[in-house]
Amino acid sequence: MTSQEFDRNLQSLKVIYRNQGKTNNGFNVVQSFIKEHNSEEFDHLLRFHIPKGVYGEELIKRFEIDALIEWYNLLFIGVLAGYLDRDLDRDTISELQLVLNNPSIVNYYEERYPYLLTSFTLQFFSTDRKEFKIPEDNSAAIGAYHIFMTLNRILREDEDVVRFLGMLDYVWYEDDSQAGYTRLNGVLEVLGSSSVLKEVLSLNEKNEMAKGVWGFIKFVNVLSEFRSLLESIGNEPLLQSAMWMYHGYYFDRMNAEMNLFFDKAFKNLGLVLNDESLFLNVAEGVYQDQELPMLDEDDLSVIAKKATAKSLDDVMWMLNPNRFDAIKNYFKNRIYGPLRVIAISVEPKIQSEIERLSRSITKLAEEDSTLGVELDEDTGQIILRCINELHLSKTILRINHEFKVEINTGIPQVAYKEALTASVLHREIYKKQSGGRGKFADIQFEIGPADQSFLSEGKGGFQFVNRVVGGVVPEDFIPFIRKGFETSMNYGPMAGFPLENMKITLFGGSFHTVESDALSFELCAKNGFREAVYKAKPIILEPIMLIEILTPEQFFVDILVDLNRRRCMLQGMDKRNNLEVLTAYVPLNEMLDYLKTLHSISEYRASYTTQFSHYESVPQIIQKDILAKLKSNSRINN
Amino acid sequence: MVNHTPGIPSSYGINSQSFFSFMEPNSLIVFVHGFGGSALGTWNNFSTMLLLDPLFVKTDILFYGYDTLKGQAGDHAAELYAFLCLAENPLASGILPADMGLAERTYNRIVIVAHSLGAILARQVLLLAYHSGVSWMDKTNLALFAPAHQGANIISLATQALPGIMNLLGIFVKFRYPILSDLDPTTPNGIIDQIRSQTEHLQNSGRGEFTKAKLVVYAKGDKVVRNIQYLGDVPAKVVPGESHIGVCKPNDIYNKPFELLKSLF
């Protein structure tokens, strides 16, 4: 799709969903609170309202803000469907960030009424999206997006469904006939008794209770349609799971409030549907005084049973929260990926235990979102990536003791990076003549560290500036030059660690009308990187951990002396509950055996916590050690 | 490849949706569902297939919905007629929001695609158009899937058309469906008889070309409606292995309905 088409799609969506009605009102509400700096009142408006209700104007405003939040989620899903560009226009992104970063709104969707998709939407549009591949020309995805929007609209417009979803969302409704308020538990009571259910469904004028019950039944019908929709896009797991999560708040609420109840509710629905008078009622209504046609009640009973069984199956399918983990995993890796600074390879001591080990690790990763798991395709070993050395030890311990799988582990590997410290100019000419048509590409560029201003924009670590003028390098080849440099960043010049950031300014070059092609320019960029990068004074960076140690006073000095040997930078000393508290920055590489040492120094009475803080350049002398160690482990190609 | 607006909701009917071409359109397709159906649900993948097929880049597509559990066929036909009169100039009538920045349409051709009960509505709409002398009547074609214009086995219809749990309960709670009486071929002087006699009269007098359906499709062995030639309609196509409800629902495997509709363009 062209950018013009993307823009057209976005503008159309805005006309329908953003610029009018609840969504527009929602934005006006948010804007007025922000303008008036009235955060306290705004926070109060978006409070968790139990045990009191929210009524009138306040309730309307909350619904309008809900519509606004859903609009942003709809945009995100539009990108996943390939209907919208990953880079929406600046105004839309700014508005989205303004709203979804507002502290009161963050509390609203993260703490009070958890709606995880919104966090993902904000993250997606606030961080680097260039890696994200938009499904191209995927008619199934775009078609599904259209149907998805329609289904949402039906949900929003059906009075009964709105009542039921409101009850799920802790809203209760005044009900004159009941002289009180109708809440979700009232609906559950009705569904729990076939005779009451029959009575409520037979009411000519629906009261709030009946609306809630009808809302449940209609919602179940919509869930069946959702299931078909999600099944139709099984090859787009991110889109599939995002669509699921769009309604995930209600699914979670249903799971929490109703899950144990479904068997009974559907059993009662089945009983009601199998009532003998069912067909007769229809026939009487239609034929009135005429002779009734032949009725086949057995057929009807079969149809009714099938309908309830199918509905129950659809509900259970839709409410299975593990079914759509793709998007959670995607963001889990985006969030925790950069924090996993230590890795270790594991394999079972007995090869036949490999399946048990896999199962154990899968279970661990499900429970622990900070744990990263990869398969080394070269060695077949499983690589565990952890956020610190304690996390790593704990994980290994759990595999051994909790899952009872004996394992061999490799040497823990610290996630080093590399960085450039100088900018240099370079010209690279790629020329090949091996019979037939030759290859030719010529580029002139500057290579160096990325600008701070660029890095602060959160667009990732690769800054590419195209200053080529006069068509000396045709526009069509530029993306391939860019790609050549970008992929080269994965293997730094010092020891093959990824480069943290890099800026390439392309300012010149030349081409040959016959012999130049995209591949030649990509290879030229890769060769140019290899030649020039050494001149840009590369260094190795290491992860620095912030540690906090709690120790009885008598061990304090020994601990401090030991820390100094570990290249620590002391940050502070304090007292807490008669214990000394010590905080310091320590390179991760120096922490690998720290738990043992600390236990030994303190006779098991000191403890510590640690978390990743930042990357810092490795001192020259240590850098030599690292390189030597790596060389002996064949990490570096000679 | 996306040449249409997203589905624009309409205040006419129930859950009606319009997909307008970004290009200057020359055709309009209007879908009308049957008993127990819904604006889009009845047609399954039709919307996606149409929106993504290059043949329909210059075609506006409207899915009209109505509440089959309330009102008579005549009521719904009158409302559909009023809607079509507005849909002919969607920008002026507000069906196409002005903010979309699209120009007013001039259709050379309008195709009403109707299923089951929808066929009765569609035929009645054309007769209303004829009596009112509206301009779009002459450029309108009918494409009918499992039309119930000769009546229907209403018990089978009620059970086949209402597969979901909600609609089964709908039967139970004694909704009276006047519309089902309209579909009963034994109802004397009902809407079916009226439509047929007027259509026959127009066709016999040489003024009824617009009433002749250009596409008629039945599921082989349909238990709800009978496949009997209807006056001057084109001979029906018969699709084996499909039901009354499934015959108009194209999917990845069964795209016959879509291919048949394409053959009209």
Side-chain angles (χ1 to χ4, degrees):
Chain A
M1 219 177 287
T2 65
S3 60
Q4 200 186 358
E5 285 170 330
F6 277 136
D7 188 50
R8 201 174 58 182
N9 293 346
L10 176 62
Q11 296 316 319
S12 310
L13 281 179
K14 281 185 178 178
V15 170
I16 304 168
Y17 293 99
R18 166 64 184 84
N19 297 343
Q20 55 182 347
K22 278 186 190 170
T23 319
N24 197 39
N25 295 346
F27 182 68
N28 292 336
V29 170
V30 175
Q31 210 178 21
S32 70
F33 277 108
I34 291 174
K35 266 187 187 165
E36 292 162 16
H37 303 288
N38 209 340
S39 57
E40 213 171 297
E41 259 185 48
F42 195 27
D43 214 42
H44 178 72
L45 172 71
L46 298 177
R47 67 193 177 276
F48 183 67
H49 67 283
I50 301 294
K52 288 183 180 172
V54 175
Y55 306 98
E57 191 71 12
E58 272 198 327
L59 187 61
I60 292 169
K61 282 182 180 171
R62 286 167 67 118
F63 283 155
E64 287 170 345
I65 291 168
D66 289 345
L68 184 65
I69 291 172
E70 283 177 5
W71 154 248
Y72 300 129
N73 290 336
L74 205 59
L75 291 178
F76 175 41
I77 296 173
V79 174
L80 298 179
Y83 187 76
L84 297 173
D85 190 9
R86 64 174 93 75
D87 293 316
L88 305 176
D89 63 83
R90 193 172 290 178
D91 287 348
T92 306
I93 299 266
S94 304
E95 182 196 296
L96 180 151
Q97 289 174 339
L98 174 81
V99 174
L100 297 185
N101 272 320
N102 179 281
S104 302
I105 295 184
V106 171
N107 276 338
Y108 185 59
Y109 68 77
E110 279 195 350
E111 300 290 333
R112 294 167 192 157
Y113 303 88
Y115 186 17
L116 193 56
L117 183 63
T118 312
S119 310
F120 293 162
T121 297
L122 177 62
Q123 273 177 45
F124 182 79
F125 286 114
S126 301
T127 52
D128 184 15
R129 299 181 290 284
K130 70 179 187 315
E131 296 286 332
F132 181 77
K133 300 270 184 296
I134 291 180
E136 272 184 39
D137 294 340
N138 186 337
S139 56
I142 290 174
Y145 187 56
H146 279 296
I147 295 169
F148 174 72
M149 288 189 287
T150 307
L151 283 176
N152 293 340
R153 198 176 297 141
I154 291 170
L155 284 180
R156 295 285 171 268
E157 287 176 3
D158 188 290
E159 197 191 343
D160 296 337
V161 175
V162 169
R163 276 289 187 283
F164 171 67
L165 294 181
M167 288 173 185
L168 272 182
D169 197 13
Y170 309 95
V171 179
W172 49 81
Y173 298 91
E174 199 168 348
D175 192 332
D176 292 338
S177 66
Q178 304 281 320
Y181 292 97
T182 303
R183 305 179 189 200
L184 184 64
N185 54 6
V187 172
L188 298 184
E189 275 173 32
V190 174
L191 290 168
S193 157
S194 61
S195 57
V196 180
L197 178 62
K198 193 169 158 181
E199 200 180 303
V200 169
L201 292 177
S202 301
L203 291 171
N204 280 331
E205 289 296 321
K206 284 189 262 182
N207 58 24
E208 296 297 341
M209 184 80 80
K211 283 178 189 168
V213 174
W214 275 106
F216 167 73
I217 294 166
K218 289 180 181 180
F219 189 62
V220 163
N221 252 28
V222 175
L223 288 186
S224 296
E225 290 192 53
F226 256 117
R227 178 180 178 171
S228 307
L229 172 66
L230 296 181
E231 283 180 329
S232 74
I233 45 167
N235 55 350
E236 293 290 345
L238 282 185
L239 176 64
Q240 194 186 43
S241 51
M243 283 183 177
W244 186 89
M245 287 188 78
Y246 186 82
H247 295 288
Y249 174 75
Y250 292 110
F251 298 157
D252 287 346
R253 292 285 304 134
M254 277 180 94
N255 270 325
E257 301 286 344
M258 304 180 79
N259 204 328
L260 297 173
F261 192 75
F262 285 132
D263 281 340
K264 197 173 182 185
F266 280 90
K267 190 180 160 203
N268 286 331
L269 282 168
L271 285 173
V272 171
L273 289 168
N274 283 321
D275 191 290
E276 285 180 5
S277 59
L278 180 65
F279 232 4
L280 207 60
N281 287 329
V282 182
E284 280 175 0
V286 174
Y287 285 85
Q288 296 177 9
D289 296 333
Q290 298 170 49
E291 195 182 336
L292 293 180
M294 287 290 289
L295 303 178
D296 189 341
E297 287 169 15
D298 288 343
D299 271 3
L300 185 73
S301 175
V302 170
I303 291 167
K305 273 184 189 159
K306 269 168 96 176
T308 40
K310 171 80 169 67
S311 293
L312 177 59
D313 186 51
D314 288 342
V315 168
M316 300 318 285
W317 194 91
M318 282 302 297
L319 295 190
N320 180 350
N322 299 326
R323 193 178 295 282
F324 300 114
D325 278 346
I327 201 156
K328 286 185 201 162
N329 291 335
Y330 175 77
F331 280 96
K332 195 172 96 176
N333 287 327
R334 274 178 73 124
I335 299 164
Y336 296 112
L339 301 180
R340 293 185 193 124
V341 285
I342 188 163
I344 196 163
S345 60
V346 292
E347 60 184 19
K349 277 192 175 159
I350 309 164
Q351 201 50 37
S352 57
E353 293 273 83
I354 185 77
E355 211 168 294
R356 266 186 73 201
L357 176 63
S358 301
R359 273 204 306 272
S360 312
I361 289 173
T362 306
K363 182 96 179 44
L364 275 173
E366 273 173 18
E367 292 170 13
D368 176 6
S369 52
T370 58
L371 177 67
V373 181
E374 284 168 26
L375 184 71
D376 185 326
E377 287 181 4
D378 293 334
T379 63
Q381 287 177 316
I382 297 170
I383 310 291
L384 302 179
R385 296 196 178 276
C386 298
I387 57 170
N388 56 43
E389 72 290 355
L390 285 175
H391 183 217
L392 189 143
S393 310
K394 200 176 136 195
T395 305
I396 300 291
L397 209 66
R398 285 191 69 189
I399 295 172
N400 279 328
H401 294 280
E402 199 176 314
F403 295 97
K404 304 202 183 322
V405 185
E406 287 192 63
I407 52 171
N408 292 321
T409 58
I411 300 164
Q413 300 289 331
V414 172
Y416 293 106
K417 287 186 180 180
E418 296 184 26
L420 306 180
T421 59
S423 295
V424 290
L425 302 178
H426 184 79
R427 179 176 190 180
E428 184 71 23
I429 297 173
Y430 176 77
K431 209 173 180 183
K432 255 192 175 170
Q433 193 71 53
S434 52
R437 209 183 92 181
K439 298 273 185 196
F440 180 83
D442 168 18
I443 54 173
Q444 286 175 277
F445 61 92
E446 183 181 42
I447 182 171
D451 299 338
Q452 276 310 315
S453 57
F454 173 82
L455 295 173
S456 64
E457 286 174 24
K459 290 180 181 171
F462 180 52
Q463 183 181 8
F464 184 82
V465 181
N466 178 13
R467 293 240 168 85
V468 170
V469 287
V472 291
V473 178
E475 206 50 44
D476 289 352
F477 297 144
I478 303 293
F480 294 90
I481 297 171
R482 186 191 164 109
K483 188 179 160 199
F485 282 117
E486 196 168 11
T487 49
S488 299
M489 275 181 78
N490 293 330
Y491 302 96
M494 301 290 287
F497 298 120
L499 273 182
E500 189 177 46
N501 64 66
M502 174 172 84
K503 178 181 178 183
I504 296 290
T505 308
L506 185 71
F507 58 85
S510 64
F511 72 106
H512 189 278
T513 46
V514 178
E515 297 183 338
S516 291
D517 58 15
L519 184 64
S520 303
F521 273 97
E522 187 179 330
L523 290 172
C524 185
K526 284 181 177 170
N527 292 349
F529 172 86
R530 273 199 293 274
E531 290 299 318
V533 73
Y534 292 99
K535 295 182 271 179
K537 297 188 178 164
I539 55 167
I540 293 181
L541 303 176
E542 62 181 342
I544 305 294
M545 311 302 282
L546 179 65
I547 72 164
E548 184 183 79
I549 303 166
L550 275 81
T551 176
E553 195 180 353
Q554 66 265 37
F555 308 115
F556 182 78
V557 174
D558 288 346
I559 287 172
L560 200 56
V561 169
D562 174 71
L563 272 184
N564 277 332
R565 279 193 218 115
R566 295 173 190 269
R567 298 191 278 135
C568 99
M569 275 183 65
L570 201 59
Q571 289 301 296
M573 288 180 279
D574 204 352
K575 270 195 181 299
R576 198 184 299 160
N577 301 331
N578 294 327
L579 290 173
E580 298 292 324
V581 183
L582 200 153
T583 50
Y585 288 122
V586 187
L588 176 62
N589 193 36
E590 305 289 345
M591 296 290 294
L592 298 180
D593 61 346
Y594 191 61
L595 187 62
K596 249 188 218 169
T597 310
L598 186 68
H599 284 169
S600 153
I601 295 173
S602 68
E603 297 160 13
Y604 286 87
R605 291 173 65 193
S607 62
Y608 82 104
T609 57
T610 172
Q611 66 182 65
F612 169 71
S613 169
H614 60 280
Y615 272 90
E616 224 171 77
S617 60
V618 176
Q620 271 298 320
I621 186 149
I622 307 289
Q623 189 167 294
K624 275 183 191 164
D625 281 352
I626 293 171
L627 291 174
K629 225 182 258 178
L630 289 171
K631 206 168 183 179
S632 68
N633 289 341
S634 307
R635 178 79 173 78
I636 306 169
N637 297 324
N638 289 306
Chain B
M1 69 174 220
V2 175
N3 291 294
H4 292 80
T5 64
I8 298 175
S10 166
S11 55
Y12 301 93
I14 306 279
N15 289 321
S16 301
Q17 303 236 22
S18 315
F19 296 87
F20 290 101
S21 168
F22 286 121
M23 302 169 92
E24 197 178 317
N26 45 34
S27 303
L28 169 68
I29 304 180
V30 182
F31 285 84
V32 185
H33 63 80
F35 179 73
S38 62
L40 270 165
T42 291
W43 307 101
N44 210 36
N45 290 359
F46 244 125
S47 57
T48 309
M49 289 173 162
L50 285 164
L51 293 174
L52 301 172
D53 193 300
L55 187 64
F56 297 101
V57 291
K58 289 186 170 188
T59 300
D60 287 346
I61 303 155
L62 272 60
F63 290 88
Y64 182 77
Y66 56 101
D67 188 348
T68 57
L69 304 184
K70 291 177 187 162
Q72 301 176 17
D75 302 336
H76 295 304
E79 285 173 357
L80 175 60
Y81 168 71
F83 174 69
L84 287 176
C85 288
L86 296 170
E88 195 196 8
N89 301 112
L91 187 65
S93 61
I95 295 173
L96 169 57
D99 295 353
M100 282 287 173
L102 298 174
E104 186 57 288
R105 339 302 260 170
T106 308
Y107 301 120
N108 300 327
R109 187 177 193 196
I110 297 172
V111 177
I112 302 178
V113 184
H115 174 243
S116 189
L117 165 69
I120 296 177
L121 269 61
R123 288 201 180 279
Q124 175 70 359
V125 159
L126 286 185
L127 293 174
L128 291 173
Y130 172 77
H131 293 307
S132 309
V134 295
S135 59
W136 50 265
M137 180 198 75
D138 284 331
K139 51 187 175 188
T140 302
N141 296 149
L142 287 178
L144 307 176
F145 288 87
H149 48 206
Q150 308 200 85
N153 177 338
I154 57 170
I155 297 297
S156 297
L157 179 62
T159 51
Q160 280 203 28
L162 304 170
I165 187 169
M166 181 195 83
N167 292 319
L168 275 167
L169 277 164
I171 300 173
F172 172 72
V173 295
K174 297 185 188 177
F175 277 131
R176 295 287 191 270
Y177 306 138
I179 217 160
L180 283 178
S181 304
D182 289 332
L183 284 169
D184 186 351
T186 64
T187 306
N189 299 317
I191 193 169
I192 290 176
D193 286 350
Q194 296 288 327
I195 291 172
R196 188 179 171 100
S197 65
Q198 286 186 44
T199 305
E200 194 167 16
H201 175 70
L202 284 170
Q203 288 188 8
N204 288 343
S205 60
R207 288 172 291 156
E209 192 55 34
F210 67 97
T211 62
K212 296 175 183 171
K214 299 293 180 287
L215 175 69
V216 180
V217 185
Y218 281 100
K220 192 171 183 181
D222 191 322
K223 289 176 183 164
V224 177
V225 292
R226 297 177 69 193
N227 178 2
I228 301 171
Q229 177 66 31
Y230 191 91
L231 302 173
D233 284 359
V234 293
K237 312 265 185 203
V238 177
V239 182
E242 285 299 329
S243 68
H244 178 74
I245 300 300
V247 71
C248 63
K249 289 186 186 334
N251 55 40
D252 292 344
I253 304 158
Y254 169 61
N255 68 350
K256 189 85 177 166
F258 182 62
E259 293 303 325
L260 288 171
L261 182 63
K262 272 178 87 171
S263 69
L264 287 187
F265 285 80

